[in-house]
Amino acid sequence: MTAKRKWSAEVTEHSYALDLEEHIFESHDPRKIAASLKRSAEHSERRKAEPFQSAMSTLNFYINRAGTNLPAKQKKVLEDAKDELRAAFGRPRED
């Protein structure tokens, strides 16, 4: 789309549930991404679910919407961030 942006880009940049750190999904450190999402989810008063679910949903949304355009290396970083997010919230890892 040239003149009009996709709705998913708008949601990613201006999440109504979480106040996201700018360009956090561009980080190459899965632990940093997870920590930022955890911080945002725990401090948000607009989220509708528990902090873990809100953070994981935001990460999954980004992966699913941007995933087709992401380099494989960055997609791997984001997938690894899921495990880091689980660990940050004391949840078991998925195998």
Side-chain angles (χ1 to χ4, degrees):
M1 301 184 94
T2 55
K4 206 165 129 179
R5 293 179 57 160
K6 291 185 179 181
W7 66 268
S8 56
E10 182 69 20
V11 171
T12 300
E13 286 185 18
H14 305 289
S15 170
Y16 298 109
L18 303 179
D19 293 322
L20 300 175
E21 183 180 334
E22 283 193 39
H23 306 287
I24 190 59
F25 296 118
E26 295 171 15
S27 173
H28 299 295
D29 182 354
R31 190 169 286 146
K32 180 180 176 182
I33 295 169
S36 179
L37 286 169
K38 183 176 191 265
R39 228 180 355 264
S40 295
E42 290 178 335
H43 290 90
S44 175
E45 295 179 7
R46 297 183 310 269
R47 64 181 160 71
K48 295 179 182 171
E50 294 299 314
F52 172 75
Q53 183 61 45
S54 292
M56 187 62 78
S57 293
T58 301
L59 181 55
N60 279 320
F61 175 83
Y62 185 79
I63 291 169
N64 291 338
R65 291 294 169 185
T68 57
N69 298 322
L70 286 173
K73 186 175 180 181
Q74 187 61 23
K75 191 165 182 178
K76 170 90 169 92
V77 169
L78 294 172
E79 290 293 338
D80 290 347
K82 288 182 183 182
D83 285 333
E84 293 295 337
L85 193 57
R86 287 183 189 98
F89 278 99
R91 303 285 178 106
R93 293 176 85 113
E94 288 189 2
D95 292 321

